[in-house]
């Protein structure tokens, strides 16, 4: 399996442009930050991930106003009708969840449809939970990049159907990509995990990547 260049990626994560974006995200964050960074391919399972977050907020109203799901998505293959339709489904799902749970000063899902590597790497350093719930994914380098440079002992919530799960699954919270209730429960487990467990898992994942 291929991987990332740890030294180069850690250097990027400490660069001034990334630090500037990190400071901006830090100012906006609530108590908990859930993150996903993906292309808008249907195989990435983005809509089910948002539905799982919706269920999480229904099941655990104590999290309302305390957790934000930051979704940094790069539109993909918009000349293909199925892919363009999927972006619209993503937009509608986000609007529904935000209307259902949001307040005048808090939106549960912060959707950003743009390609911004420095912003993505800045977000990698800040997440409490990283969601990678792909239907199928040959590798998934986001899981490796993010866990390497995270500074908050973030938990990797990783689909069992990713290639990366074979390497990192022992230290991740496993997601079953078609089961939104299981994903919601896994997100809650990740958000409420004991600090020492979080630290041990992240360090173990980073060691595997290195």
């Amino acid at each position: 399996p291929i991987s990332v260049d740890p030294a180069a990626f850690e250097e990027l994560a400490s660069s001034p442009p990334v630090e500037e974006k990190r400071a901006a995200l830090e100012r906006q964050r609530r108590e908990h930050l859930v993150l996903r960074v993906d292309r808008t391919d249907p195989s990435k399972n983005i809509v089910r991930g948002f539905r799982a977050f919706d269920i999480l907020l229904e099941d655990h109203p104590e999290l309302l106003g305390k957790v934000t799901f930051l979704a940094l998505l790069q539109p993909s293959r918009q000349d293909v009708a199925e892919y363009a339709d999927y972006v619209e489904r993503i937009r509608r799902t986000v609007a529904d969840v935000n209307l259902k749970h949001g307040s005048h000063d808090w939106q549960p899902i912060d959707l950003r449809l743009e390609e911004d590597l420095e912003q993505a790497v800045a977000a990698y350093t800040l997440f409490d939970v990283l969601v990678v719930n792909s239907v199928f994914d040959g590798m998934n380098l986001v899981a490796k990049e993010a866990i390497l440079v995270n500074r908050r002992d973030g938990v990797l919530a990783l689909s069992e159907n990713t290639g990366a799960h074979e390497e990192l699954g022992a230290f991740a919270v496993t997601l079953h990509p078609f089961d939104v209730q299981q994903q919601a429960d896994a997100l809650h487990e990740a958000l409420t995990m004991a600090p020492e467990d979080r630290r041990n898992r992240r360090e173990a994942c980073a060691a595997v990547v290195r």
Side-chain angles (χ1 to χ4, degrees):
I2 64 171
S3 194
V4 297
D5 182 334
F9 213 81
E10 287 170 329
E11 184 178 350
L12 174 60
S14 300
S15 67
V18 170
E19 286 292 340
E20 185 178 333
K21 295 286 178 75
R22 186 195 64 76
L25 290 172
E26 186 79 84
R27 287 192 295 270
Q28 298 164 10
R29 72 168 293 139
R30 294 291 178 119
E31 186 176 334
H32 304 292
L33 180 66
V34 176
L35 174 69
R36 80 173 305 143
V37 178
D38 269 316
R39 298 187 313 278
T40 56
D41 294 4
S43 68
K44 298 297 184 181
N45 212 23
I46 294 162
V47 169
R48 284 194 190 92
F50 289 149
R51 287 179 180 156
F53 187 63
D54 177 19
I55 293 170
L56 171 72
L57 296 178
E58 285 182 355
D59 291 350
H60 300 280
E62 71 276 9
L63 290 173
L64 293 173
K66 295 182 178 179
V67 58
T68 302
F69 193 154
L70 175 61
L72 305 179
L73 305 180
Q74 300 88 50
S76 174
R77 304 181 192 178
Q78 292 302 284
D79 55 330
V80 178
E82 291 82 357
Y83 282 72
D85 290 346
Y86 194 64
V87 170
E88 285 310 305
R89 284 183 60 203
I90 289 169
R91 290 183 191 273
R92 287 198 303 271
T93 303
V94 169
D96 289 346
V97 174
N98 284 346
L99 182 63
K100 181 177 177 181
H101 297 289
S103 63
H104 70 282
D105 66 342
W106 170 71
Q107 294 290 285
I109 301 175
D110 181 354
L111 173 63
R112 305 187 188 188
L113 284 163
E114 59 191 4
E115 188 157 356
D116 186 336
L117 175 62
E118 289 159 355
Q119 180 174 248
V121 176
Y124 286 166
T125 69
L126 293 175
F127 72 83
D128 297 301
V129 181
L130 179 77
V131 175
V132 180
N133 69 326
S134 318
V135 173
F136 280 102
D137 206 329
M139 187 66 251
N140 197 280
L141 296 180
V142 166
K144 295 186 170 187
E145 294 170 350
I147 209 69
L148 182 69
V149 298
N150 180 262
R151 301 176 188 175
R152 291 184 57 90
D153 293 328
V155 178
L156 179 58
L158 185 60
S159 168
E160 62 184 346
N161 291 346
T162 60
H165 193 272
E166 293 184 25
E167 298 171 274
L168 304 177
F171 313 112
V173 172
T174 296
L175 301 179
H176 304 317
F178 296 106
D179 187 340
V180 291
Q181 181 66 60
Q182 186 276 335
Q183 291 176 57
D185 295 342
L187 286 176
H188 185 256
E189 177 189 352
L191 284 168
T192 58
M193 190 176 291
E196 184 177 4
D197 196 7
R198 299 172 66 87
R199 186 179 315 112
N200 290 342
R201 286 172 181 251
R202 194 205 67 79
E203 289 176 354
C205 281
V208 170
V209 175
R210 289 194 182 96

